[in-house]
Amino acid sequence: AATAGLSKCERCEPGTTSGVGSSACSECAAGTYAANPGQGQCVPCPYPLGSERGAVICSFCQKDFYLLQSADPIEIFSSPTDYCKPCPPSAECSDNTALATIGVPAGYWRASPSSAVLTACRDFGGDRAGEARCAGNERGAKQASRRLEEAGSDEYCAPGFTGPECQLCAAENHYLVDGDECKECAPRGAAAGRIAGIVLGLCVACGLTVWAYSMTAWRKKTFIGPLLRFADRSVKYYVGGGMTAKVKILFGFYQISTVLSSTYSARLPDKYTSWTDNLANTISIDWSGFFLPEQCLGYGERLVVSALSPVVLIALLMGTGIALRLHVWRTASPRPKLWAEAALGLLDLTPAGLVLIFCFVPSISASIFRSWSCQAYTISPPNEPLEQVSYMRQDASVECGTEDHESITDVAVGFIVLWPVGSLVLFTSLLAACYKPLQAKSPNALTRATAFLHREYEKTWYWWEAVELARKLVLTGFVLLIPEKNA
């Protein structure tokens, strides 16, 4: 550049340039650089690098790219594509964005500032509730870099929310409502009392119903007679039409379809599942959820309630059958052997017990195996070996692989023996005991009590119900033992 009063031109400093005949040096524009003194013109930055005004080297990534890791500017300049990576899907990357300061928009969350994987926050039943909970960090990503490193994934959550996908309430003893609101949990004692009342009420109602149906003389009464006669006709048409097999097939299908979402992270269209969701909640026997939301009770405690309440119900049912037989036995003359009469009382209500096991074992087994169902989130940078953190799908407050998670899986192992394995052994044992009477076509008390298991099958295939149970257990439960990364 020519300077007034001097006999020769002076070279412009690096980062500046001047045109022919110019009397002053001007800074290079953003996106260009001049590395050498006296350079005639500024050179555009190599793709995909950028620079500020007056730059002597291009050392940061331009818009829609982010800096993977910190390095010497010379190294970045010499290998720009090794350091500048395309902005992750749904993320915001302005000029000079680093991995830790990637802009996470509302409705998205990431497990760590060192991860380039963004997760869309689920609505959990609310209208755009994911955007309300997951506030993102677009409110000044560059200025938030230090806060991101200190707060981790919670930096992307709106006030009052925490955890993976911001689905947990930050306040203790609160639960999520409609995906974007936190409410205080009700006392556990009151919920336990209601559950006990429901179980007792169901037992009493079932007992009274069976007792009333057994009263033949009541068919002629004015009020209850029409109901009993209608029940007789319904049973006649049901049995005559072979409806048991059809109902079992239909019910078995929905037992599998209603756990698609929780077991396989897949879902049928809402028009097929709008009413089956309510049916699934009823069949699941997670009675704690009716009075105490899931986040108010740890999954381990919910699992105990879900797995043991049907056992209590079936035990009460069998006990009622024995008690009724023994009541008649006391007045009988001559009295048969006590143990034989007790066995007959057990067989009297065995059909009802088998129906309950058939209805509940797939969903209860699915609940048990969900103890190993974890949602994985990436926390490692793209250039390093994959590292993930996992949280239980059914209880996002529990990190998988920790002591809290192991205590839940230890309980689940015991319940696997009780329900999936136990029910399969029970069905197989009962059918094996029926082999000779069925082949000889000489029914006895056991074959009549277990008719629910084999009546709809040809004699050659009388054992097929045990195979069908094993199939449902594999599809609804055992597959969850396969780690998600290997699935």
Side-chain angles (χ1 to χ4, degrees), residues 101-139:
T101 58
I102 287 176
V104 179
Y108 287 86
W109 176 88
R110 63 173 175 168
S112 169
S114 61
S115 171
V117 179
L118 272 62
T119 301
C121 296
R122 290 167 287 179
D123 290 333
F124 297 112
D127 183 17
R128 303 183 70 177
E131 294 185 15
R133 294 193 325 274
C134 301
N137 71 329
E138 287 184 317
R139 54 189 186 281

Side-chain angles (χ1 to χ4, degrees), residues 3-316:
T3 304
L6 296 178
S7 60
K8 63 179 180 177
C9 295
E10 291 184 349
R11 289 185 176 184
C12 292
E13 296 293 329
T16 63
T17 186
S18 66
V20 178
S22 176
S23 61
C25 298
S26 58
E27 290 184 333
C28 292
T32 63
Y33 74 102
N36 303 312
Q39 191 166 309
Q41 61 180 0
C42 298
V43 181
C45 291
Y47 183 83
L49 293 178
S51 67
E52 297 179 349
R53 289 181 59 84
V56 298
I57 192 173
C58 300
S59 58
F60 62 77
C61 304
Q62 63 180 238
K63 185 180 180 182
D64 296 329
F65 288 84
Y66 70 92
L67 184 64
L68 181 60
Q69 61 185 21
S70 299
D72 186 84
I74 297 177
E75 293 183 11
I76 297 174
F77 183 82
S78 61
S79 303
T81 55
D82 291 340
Y83 289 92
C84 292
K85 300 298 179 180
C87 198
S90 304
E92 297 289 339
C93 298
S94 57
D95 286 337
N96 199 13
T97 294
L99 177 60
T101 58
I102 287 176
V104 179
Y108 287 86
W109 176 88
R110 63 173 175 168
S112 169
S114 61
S115 171
V117 179
L118 272 62
T119 301
C121 296
R122 290 167 287 179
D123 290 333
F124 297 112
D127 183 17
R128 303 183 70 177
E131 294 185 15
R133 294 193 325 274
C134 301
N137 71 329
E138 287 184 317
R139 54 189 186 281
K142 294 181 180 179
Q143 292 78 6
S145 175
R146 183 175 180 180
R147 295 201 312 273
L148 278 167
E149 295 177 357
E150 294 175 351
S153 57
D154 285 347
E155 170 65 23
Y156 310 108
C157 298
F161 299 97
T162 185
E165 299 181 42
C166 308
Q167 60 184 286
L168 301 176
C169 295
E172 293 185 2
N173 200 35
H174 282 67
Y175 67 99
L176 193 65
V177 180
D178 295 331
D180 59 359
E181 182 182 0
C182 288
K183 289 186 178 181
E184 188 173 3
C185 299
R188 294 187 180 184
R194 295 189 187 100
I195 294 173
I198 285 180
V199 174
L200 182 60
L202 286 174
C203 293
V204 172
C206 291
L208 291 176
T209 301
V210 172
W211 176 66
Y213 187 75
S214 65
M215 303 297 290
T216 306
W218 284 15
R219 264 67 176 175
K220 299 179 180 180
K221 290 185 176 293
T222 305
F223 297 104
I224 197 172
L227 292 176
L228 295 177
R229 293 194 296 271
F230 175 77
D232 290 337
R233 289 193 297 270
S234 300
V235 171
K236 179 181 177 181
Y237 294 141
Y238 179 86
V239 175
M243 294 301 296
T244 301
K246 299 178 180 63
V247 171
K248 287 168 71 174
I249 293 173
L250 180 64
F251 197 70
F253 167 76
Y254 277 106
Q255 282 178 321
I256 295 174
S257 64
T258 51
V259 299
L260 282 176
S261 176
S262 56
T263 303
Y264 297 96
S265 298
R267 183 171 177 83
L268 294 175
D270 289 338
K271 63 181 180 180
Y272 299 120
T273 59
S274 57
W275 65 273
T276 57
D277 286 345
N278 295 329
L279 176 63
N281 291 333
T282 303
I283 297 172
S284 70
I285 297 298
D286 188 4
W287 291 336
S288 62
F290 284 105
F291 302 104
L292 203 60
E294 294 181 353
Q295 292 183 356
C296 296
L297 194 66
Y299 191 72
E301 295 169 306
R302 297 207 318 269
L303 183 60
V304 171
V305 174
S306 300
L308 291 185
S309 53
V311 175
V312 175
L313 181 61
I314 295 173
L316 289 174

Side-chain angles (χ1 to χ4, degrees), residues 267-418:
R267 183 171 177 83
L268 294 175
D270 289 338
K271 63 181 180 180
Y272 299 120
T273 59
S274 57
W275 65 273
T276 57
D277 286 345
N278 295 329
L279 176 63
N281 291 333
T282 303
I283 297 172
S284 70
I285 297 298
D286 188 4
W287 291 336
S288 62
F290 284 105
F291 302 104
L292 203 60
E294 294 181 353
Q295 292 183 356
C296 296
L297 194 66
Y299 191 72
E301 295 169 306
R302 297 207 318 269
L303 183 60
V304 171
V305 174
S306 300
L308 291 185
S309 53
V311 175
V312 175
L313 181 61
I314 295 173
L316 289 174
L317 191 65
M318 298 295 102
T320 301
I322 296 174
L324 291 175
R325 277 281 182 172
L326 294 181
H327 177 72
V328 177
W329 174 81
R330 292 178 58 187
T331 59
S333 181
R335 291 181 178 179
K337 292 183 178 180
L338 178 62
W339 66 267
E341 199 68 13
L344 289 176
L346 189 64
L347 291 176
D348 286 342
L349 291 181
T350 292
L354 291 176
V355 171
L356 290 177
I357 294 174
F358 172 83
C359 292
F360 296 139
V361 68
S363 57
I364 294 174
S365 298
S367 297
I368 295 171
F369 285 110
R370 286 185 196 122
S371 300
W372 286 272
S373 180
C374 298
Q375 177 70 50
Y377 301 96
T378 301
I379 60 175
S380 57
N383 62 327
E384 295 183 6
L386 179 64
E387 185 178 353
Q388 295 180 317
V389 61
S390 300
Y391 297 91
M392 288 187 65
R393 283 192 170 92
Q394 305 301 313
D395 188 350
S397 65
V398 178
E399 182 178 346
C400 296
T402 61
E403 292 184 0
D404 290 341
H405 184 229
E406 290 179 358
S407 65
I408 294 174
T409 55
D410 289 343
V411 173
V413 169
F415 286 141
I416 287 177
V417 176
L418 176 64

